[in-house]
Amino acid sequence: MSTRPARPPRPRDRKAQLAAVAAGLFRARGFHGVGINDIAAAAGVTGPALYRHFSDKQAILAYVVLGGIDDMEAVTAGALTDSVPSEPVAEQLRALLTGLATQAVERREIAALWRWEGPHLAREERREIRRRSGAVLDAWTKAVLTTRPELAGEEAELLCWAALSVFGSVSVHHTTVARKRFIGLLVELATAVLRTTLPDAAAPPPAPVAGLGTPSRREQVLAAATALFAERGFHAVSMEDIGAAAGIAGPSVYRHFPSKAALMVAIGHRAADRLALAAEQALRALDEETGLRRLAASYVHTLLHTPELLVSFTADRVTMPDRDKADLLRIQRDYVAQWLTLLTAVHPGLPAREAKVRVHAALTVANDLSRTRRVSGRPHLQAELTTLLHAVLGLD
């Protein structure tokens, strides 16, 4: 009789388990900060064992992101397509929002990967994601138009994108609320977004004033790097590319910045300075509600007119010294703290954690929609985003 110990049973869905481990690492470190051996070690398997399920790291990312799309399609079909015909559309929408909120709370890493790491997928996979997510948004838009026939189709689509951003916002912070309340709070915020009355056409912003003189060579390099990082992503840009865009030889860039990481640090601090200046002006208000409204408006204006701000959102996803990462994170937290102070003053009974969820949802709506091609070109986006942020913050 053999005395060899019984081998523990292999998990039923090893592929899904490995993907879940990888998703957590991708969220924490970014796609480029994680290797196959890192994933294998975290999952307690060998590299060859991992390759039995996935051909490479990109295949794991595709599996996770496309699985998230599958889940979103299933929730949409269950709430809107497979619902009881006599059920009011408003109830169908609520069922949809509840399903999406549940997914967001239970699988927070999916939204993070879709938002930040999607560009690392193959072109065919990105095209599939756009097609399938577009079809889901179209179904949501039709449902919203049924309940709000006064809206134009483009307005309803904008509101649906904003609601999706509310759910995606859980990926940018680690604040936790009791599960049932967390789901309910996200539904509440998404509902407020879908009920928002968008502003009438606003006056066009004033034309920019031409600057005096020529920017320094360092400023030219910084501007060139910002534009290239925004267009191609940090890892796809070389110092030679930056030098060419700035009109100098690649090695000359090193006279001003020792590395690409140093450039990203400078971009992050430049964005923080612009936000701090805008916030200082906005907070010269006589009461907290006015201050919060102005702070939201200043954020949207800075976001839409400051390329450094969008680029700086990826600062924690790149290789840079830990000290600089920590410094930028502290600056970001201090800025968010200003929002929290005003929001809890405006809503005295609001629990601190729920206030954080609201603030991050508001900021994410602005961040996402300013980068979403289907809505970012709207002529009055600044006024619309400001109104949406007010709705999420409970100011309307």
Side-chain angles (χ1 to χ4, degrees):
M1 181 175 179
S2 173
T3 58
R4 294 177 61 185
R7 178 177 297 177
R10 178 174 295 181
R12 285 187 175 183
D13 196 347
R14 169 65 80 180
K15 187 171 186 177
Q17 288 187 344
L18 294 173
V21 170
L25 292 176
F26 289 151
R27 182 190 179 195
R29 306 182 196 172
F31 184 76
H32 286 283
V34 178
I36 285 290
N37 290 335
D38 297 323
I39 299 171
V45 301
T46 63
L50 187 61
Y51 281 118
R52 284 199 292 268
H53 300 280
F54 298 101
S55 59
D56 54 25
K57 190 172 63 169
Q58 188 181 57
I60 304 177
L61 179 63
Y63 179 89
V64 173
V65 175
L66 290 172
I69 299 292
D70 290 340
D71 293 342
M72 190 166 64
E73 289 174 333
V75 169
T76 301
L80 302 183
T81 305
D82 301 332
S83 56
V84 179
S86 60
E87 188 177 48
V89 175
E91 293 301 319
Q92 296 176 23
L93 274 174
R94 184 164 186 83
L96 171 66
L97 298 181
T98 301
L100 295 171
T102 301
Q103 283 187 354
V105 170
E106 294 180 348
R107 303 187 66 187
R108 296 174 77 156
E109 75 282 355
I110 301 300
L113 297 185
W114 188 4
R115 287 157 48 81
W116 298 116
E117 310 300 348
H120 300 303
L121 297 174
R123 180 178 299 177
E124 296 75 16
E125 291 162 342
R126 296 198 304 270
R127 185 181 298 116
E128 180 181 357
I129 289 173
R130 286 195 298 269
R131 177 184 61 80
R132 292 171 60 184
S133 60
V136 168
L137 263 293
D138 287 343
W140 300 357
T141 299
K142 291 177 182 177
V144 170
L145 286 172
T146 301
T147 60
R148 298 193 59 187
E150 78 280 5
L151 293 174
E154 295 81 3
E155 294 174 329
E157 182 182 7
L158 175 71
L159 298 181
C160 288
W161 278 109
L164 181 61
S165 293
V166 167
F167 300 126
S169 67
V170 301
S171 70
V172 303
H173 62 88
H174 300 282
T175 302
T176 300
V177 181
R179 180 182 179 278
K180 184 176 180 180
R181 177 53 191 156
F182 204 169
I183 293 171
L185 177 58
L186 293 178
V187 171
E188 177 185 333
L189 299 182
T191 300
V193 163
L194 294 180
R195 290 176 177 171
T196 299
T197 299
L198 294 173
D200 295 331
V209 178
L212 297 176
T214 302
S216 68
R217 181 64 74 184
R218 185 180 188 278
E219 286 297 315
Q220 293 176 37
V221 170
L222 191 61
T226 301
L228 290 175
F229 291 161
E231 178 184 356
R232 305 181 197 172
F234 177 84
H235 293 280
V237 177
S238 68
M239 293 293 264
E240 288 71 21
D241 296 330
I242 296 169
I248 61 177
S252 298
V253 176
Y254 291 98
R255 297 177 184 173
H256 307 282
F257 298 95
S259 65
K260 281 202 304 177
L263 271 162
M264 184 61 91
V265 171
I267 290 171
H269 282 287
R270 175 62 55 83
D273 290 343
R274 296 193 190 281
L275 280 180
L277 178 60
E280 180 183 353
Q281 296 172 344
L283 294 176
R284 294 172 183 170
L286 297 178
D287 61 88
E288 288 85 355
E289 180 173 341
T290 301
L292 186 57
R293 288 179 180 274
R294 290 181 179 177
L295 188 59
S298 75
Y299 183 77
V300 172
H301 181 272
T302 306
L303 180 66
L304 295 179
H305 297 86
T306 305
E308 295 92 347
L309 189 54
L310 282 176
V311 173
S312 71
F313 292 150
T314 61
D316 61 337
R317 323 293 291 178
V318 303
T319 303
M320 67 171 62
D322 290 340
R323 179 177 179 179
D324 291 312
K325 279 187 180 180
D327 191 31
L328 287 172
L329 181 59
R330 177 189 57 78
I331 292 172
Q332 292 171 4
R333 286 175 173 170
D334 288 346
Y335 180 70
V336 170
Q338 292 180 302
W339 290 67
L340 293 172
T341 298
L342 291 176
L343 182 61
T344 52
V346 174
H347 302 295
L350 185 64
R353 291 187 177 184
E354 293 191 16
K356 289 183 180 180
V357 172
R358 279 184 178 268
V359 167
H360 282 294
L363 295 173
T364 303
V365 167
N367 298 343
D368 281 357
L369 269 61
S370 65
R371 296 180 301 161
T372 301
R373 291 182 179 179
R374 289 182 64 165
V375 300
S376 61
R378 292 177 62 83
H380 309 296
L381 185 63
Q382 181 170 325
E384 292 169 336
L385 287 183
T386 302
T387 300
L388 287 169
L389 264 62
H390 290 170
V392 174
L393 296 170
L395 298 177
D396 291 325

